Amino acid sequence: MKIAFGSDHAGYEDPPPYYKPDLVDFIEAHGHQVLDCGTTGPEAVDYPDFANAVCLQILAGEAERGVLLCGTGIGVAMSANRHKKIRAAVCTSVQMARLSREHNDANVLCIGRRVLSLDECHAIILAWLEEPASTKERHKRRVSKMG
Ligand code: RB5
């Protein structure tokens, strides 16, 4: 799958290992192609810029889904959900990741550097990438009502 990945400076927050490069490598190591939407270092930036960049790649058909990282996942999710057809989910557990796909057909995963360990991020990302959206009529109907 082609995944657009974006992060603000939280992805390069001390102490290392830095989350952003680690998670990009992790996704690629699992056979996906990553479209890197930045940022590229610890200099403070504005998270909506990176959320918007990821969403635009998805809406243009350049990426199938997106992963966004900030301090909590909240700011990037709020930004991403301003875009019609983007369904961004903040996930802090594997169960949330699976359900955000199964019930909500989330096309953007939002995670937080300051609230999750790297191991937790790995497990959440893997679950989210693997889980299909439900084909049940009730779930499809609810998702379609989001517009
Ligand atoms: C940046 O310091 C921080 O505010 C940002 O990464 C994010 O947590 C916002 O939601």
Side-chain angles (χ1 to χ4, degrees):
M1 209 176 341
K2 206 161 169 185
I3 306 293
F5 193 105
S7 169
D8 72 357
H9 49 285
Y12 290 90
E13 202 159 80
D14 282 325
Y18 298 131
Y19 276 41
K20 194 230 167 178
D22 177 286
L23 297 180
V24 167
D25 289 349
F26 178 81
I27 293 169
E28 287 177 339
H30 282 82
H32 303 282
Q33 192 184 339
V34 172
L35 196 57
D36 190 342
C37 298
T39 189
T40 55
E43 186 188 335
V45 290
D46 298 335
Y47 56 80
D49 296 340
F50 301 90
N52 290 339
V54 162
C55 293
L56 292 179
Q57 293 296 336
I58 295 169
L59 295 171
E62 296 297 329
E64 201 171 319
R65 290 196 235 154
V67 176
L68 283 166
L69 176 70
C70 71
T72 57
I74 294 171
V76 284
M78 288 179 167
S79 306
N81 280 320
R82 311 294 293 204
H83 295 263
K84 199 169 163 63
K85 301 289 178 197
I86 293 294
R87 295 175 299 279
V90 182
C91 295
T92 56
S93 70
V94 166
Q95 187 186 20
M96 287 175 78
R98 290 204 183 284
L99 288 171
S100 80
R101 289 287 308 140
E102 189 189 344
H103 287 197
N104 315 116
D105 194 8
N107 53 6
V108 176
L109 169 67
C110 301
I111 48 179
R113 158 69 177 91
R114 297 172 193 162
V115 295
L116 295 168
S117 70
L118 259 182
D119 283 347
E120 288 171 328
C121 289
H122 292 167
I124 287 168
I125 288 172
L126 214 50
W128 189 81
L129 289 175
E130 285 172 359
E131 191 71 29
S134 172
T135 54
K136 290 188 175 132
E137 196 280 327
R138 68 178 184 278
H139 294 307
K140 290 168 71 171
R141 183 183 69 241
R142 291 163 189 161
V143 168
S144 77
K145 284 187 178 185
M146 284 193 261

